[in-house]
Amino acid sequence: MNSKFNLFAVFTFSVFLTGCMSMPISTMYKMSQFSPFDMEPKDIRIALRTNQSIEVKSGAAQIFMSYSSDGNERLPAFYEEHKFNVQVQKIQNAEIPEILLDDLEDNEAVTILKLSDSDAQTMKNLLAKAKEYKAQEARGKGEFAISTENNCFGNLNNFTSLEVDVFLQAVKEDGYMLFLEDIDVIEEANNNDIDLQQTNRCEVG
């Protein structure tokens, strides 16, 4: 499952829907109004809510970000892209925000993931570059995507389906929002001819 947002000249989000998306209307609106320049990468969090029997590992979600510009008379053409494996954050249950616990079923658990310090700095540098180009009136476009296609979930052998709710905290002060709801990562893998027995390997964690 891969949810993408295109970031155009002013580097704001507009929604690009794929057939497998299950995004609340309220989230679509929030993201359409959101500027990535408001993000502090070290504060970005992705929370996954799924069956508590599943071991959610670092890399279970990924963030992709890119930015490109043809430049202008003052700035050269520019393109940069990165894919980040977000890492499991150790957190006590008492520290989990209430929105992540709302409607939590007895057999479910929440895992919170964050960017590593080095990845957060890389993303911050890219955003700063995009901001510089915008300030110099160089048109550009970019993309921000959250993906669960890496499928770094342990203990999948006994499951024929696995629904996951994905929450995003883009700005710390705004808290979490439900980003994608009831995504069946096993069904999505099957639909895309992905063999989880071969690809369900985690490089991190």
Side-chain angles (χ1 to χ4, degrees), residues 9 14 16 46 62 78 81 107 122 137 171 181 190 198:
S14 64
F16 176 76
I46 295 175
Q62 296 179 323
F78 172 77
E81 68 174 45
N107 66 337
T122 298
E137 299 181 345
V171 178
E181 188 173 18
N190 292 336
Q198 297 298 319

Side-chain angles (χ1 to χ4, degrees), residues 109-153:
V110 174
T111 304
I112 296 177
L113 305 101
K114 60 179 288 189
L115 291 166
S116 68
D117 291 343
S118 60
D119 285 347
Q121 186 60 51
T122 298
M123 183 183 290
K124 186 171 184 175
N125 293 343
L126 180 55
L127 287 170
K129 190 79 171 182
K131 190 173 184 178
E132 174 191 357
Y133 272 60
K134 177 178 180 291
Q136 294 293 322
E137 299 181 345
R139 290 187 59 83
K141 61 181 179 180
E143 184 178 295
F144 179 91
I146 294 176
S147 171
T148 58
E149 291 177 350
N150 198 38
N151 294 315
C152 274
F153 300 95

Side-chain angles (χ1 to χ4, degrees), residues 63 147 177 192:
I63 296 175
S147 171
M177 66 180 119
N192 290 282

Side-chain angles (χ1 to χ4, degrees), residues 160-163 182-194 196:
T160 57
S161 65
L162 179 64
E163 290 189 348
D182 296 334
I183 300 302
D184 188 335
V185 295
I186 294 178
E187 179 182 2
E188 292 299 329
N190 292 336
N191 289 343
N192 290 282
D193 296 322
I194 297 172
L196 291 178

Side-chain angles (χ1 to χ4, degrees), residues 57-60 150-153 199-205:
K57 301 179 181 181
S58 295
N150 198 38
N151 294 315
C152 274
F153 300 95
T199 62
N200 190 30
R201 303 289 185 268
C202 300
E203 296 179 0
V204 182

Side-chain angles (χ1 to χ4, degrees), residues 12-112:
T12 56
F13 286 109
S14 64
V15 180
F16 176 76
L17 297 178
T18 61
C20 62
M21 286 189 65
S22 181
M23 180 179 288
I25 296 296
S26 59
T27 300
M28 293 182 193
Y29 176 77
K30 288 178 182 178
M31 298 306 290
S32 70
Q33 301 298 308
F34 178 71
S35 169
F37 292 130
D38 294 334
M39 292 193 301
E40 177 57 57
K42 68 181 178 62
D43 292 332
I44 293 174
R45 297 291 185 272
I46 295 175
L48 303 180
R49 185 167 65 191
T50 191
N51 190 293
Q52 64 183 1
S53 300
I54 293 296
E55 181 185 2
V56 178
K57 301 179 181 181
S58 295
Q62 296 179 323
I63 296 175
F64 174 84
M65 178 175 278
S66 69
Y67 186 78
S68 64
S69 173
D70 292 333
N72 57 24
E73 65 277 6
R74 296 182 298 277
L75 294 171
F78 172 77
Y79 179 77
E80 189 173 323
E81 68 174 45
H82 299 280
K83 182 176 285 187
F84 307 106
N85 278 348
V86 286
Q87 301 180 356
V88 171
Q89 179 184 5
K90 302 298 183 184
I91 190 169
Q92 301 297 320
N93 287 341
E95 300 176 280
I96 297 177
E98 188 63 31
I99 186 175
L100 304 181
L101 301 176
D102 286 347
D103 301 320
L104 184 72
E105 298 181 6
D106 291 339
N107 66 337
E108 291 182 325
V110 174
T111 304
I112 296 177

